Amino acid sequence: MSKPVNVYSIGEVAQRLDDEVPIVFHRLGYKQSFKLIDTKLIIGYSIAVVAGISFVLDKKLGHNNVIQYQRLLVAAYFILSGVFWYFKKFIEKSILYTGTNKENNQTINFKRDIKDGKPIYQTSFIIKSKDGEVKSSEVNLEINKVFNENGYLQTDLFFQWVKKQIENIESKKD
């Protein structure tokens, strides 16, 4: 059993639920995809490499000898930083989990958000089927439904809640 969290701290509760999400989807037959994380890492490391090259050139060859290269490196740094910002803001968009289920050829994206001061875990489920049909649902989870009074996450209740939400989405007719 994991250690208890302060159920009055929305951040702690959200972190504990976030840690449980991959486990729940694994139990439901989904295999996690790390494409978004890998892309974010590649962009981030590219920014670091550009900054490192800039530092090494300046240190080894002297500032006056590498001004033209520094201009290119600074431009590349700003472009990569802009790409990183765009990726985080518009592509990743608070997606916490992406996975695929081979049995029913589905891809699922799970997003979450929390509002300060409210004990609600706001979730979005987006399911894309093999034929391209997209179904989604936004559901709020009241924290006291899955945490007991001592601050322990009741993992089976959380699992059942997620399973029920997915079943509701799959049974929805668009």
Side-chain angles (χ1 to χ4, degrees):
M1 184 173 250
S2 65
K3 68 179 194 171
V5 297
N6 179 0
V7 292
Y8 299 105
S9 171
I10 304 302
E12 280 185 49
V13 167
Q15 182 63 46
R16 179 64 185 100
L17 288 170
D18 291 352
D19 291 344
E20 190 67 23
V21 166
I23 297 166
V24 167
F25 282 110
H26 179 73
R27 284 177 62 187
L28 290 168
Y30 288 91
K31 184 176 187 300
Q32 189 168 6
S33 169
F34 294 98
K35 289 179 186 174
L36 291 176
I37 295 169
D38 291 345
T39 303
K40 187 168 58 172
L41 284 172
I42 288 168
I43 297 168
Y45 283 135
S46 299
I47 292 170
V49 166
V50 167
I53 290 171
S54 175
F55 173 77
V56 169
L57 283 177
D58 198 43
K59 186 80 168 161
K60 295 289 183 185
L61 302 177
H63 180 68
N64 292 333
N65 298 329
V66 293
I67 289 178
Q68 294 300 331
Y69 298 113
Q70 291 290 13
R71 288 182 182 148
L72 292 173
L73 290 170
V74 167
Y77 182 88
F78 280 111
I79 290 169
L80 286 170
S81 295
V83 168
F84 188 77
W85 171 82
Y86 181 84
F87 182 81
K88 294 265 304 165
K89 181 88 172 159
F90 298 107
I91 296 174
E92 188 181 44
K93 294 187 269 186
S94 74
I95 294 176
L96 182 64
Y97 181 88
T98 301
T100 55
N101 188 327
K102 299 289 185 194
E103 284 181 25
N104 52 15
N105 291 325
Q106 289 181 333
T107 302
I108 191 163
N109 287 332
F110 177 81
K111 297 180 181 185
R112 73 97 171 140
D113 196 12
I114 55 172
K115 296 291 182 196
D116 288 336
K118 295 187 178 174
I120 295 175
Y121 191 71
Q122 299 171 320
T123 63
S124 296
F125 295 86
I126 304 162
I127 298 176
K128 185 175 181 180
S129 64
K130 62 183 171 204
D131 58 0
E133 181 183 11
V134 177
K135 294 181 179 181
S136 64
S137 177
E138 292 184 13
V139 185
N140 293 334
L141 171 63
E142 293 180 28
I143 291 168
N144 61 353
K145 302 283 185 196
V146 293
F147 281 91
N148 66 17
E149 61 275 355
N150 296 323
Y152 288 99
L153 175 62
Q154 299 173 27
T155 55
D156 285 336
L157 290 177
F158 185 55
F159 172 79
Q160 293 300 326
W161 183 83
V162 171
K163 183 178 177 183
K164 181 181 175 194
Q165 301 314 313
I166 292 173
E167 289 169 355
N168 288 345
I169 294 168
E170 290 173 343
S171 67
K172 237 173 37 170
K173 301 219 188 236
D174 286 334

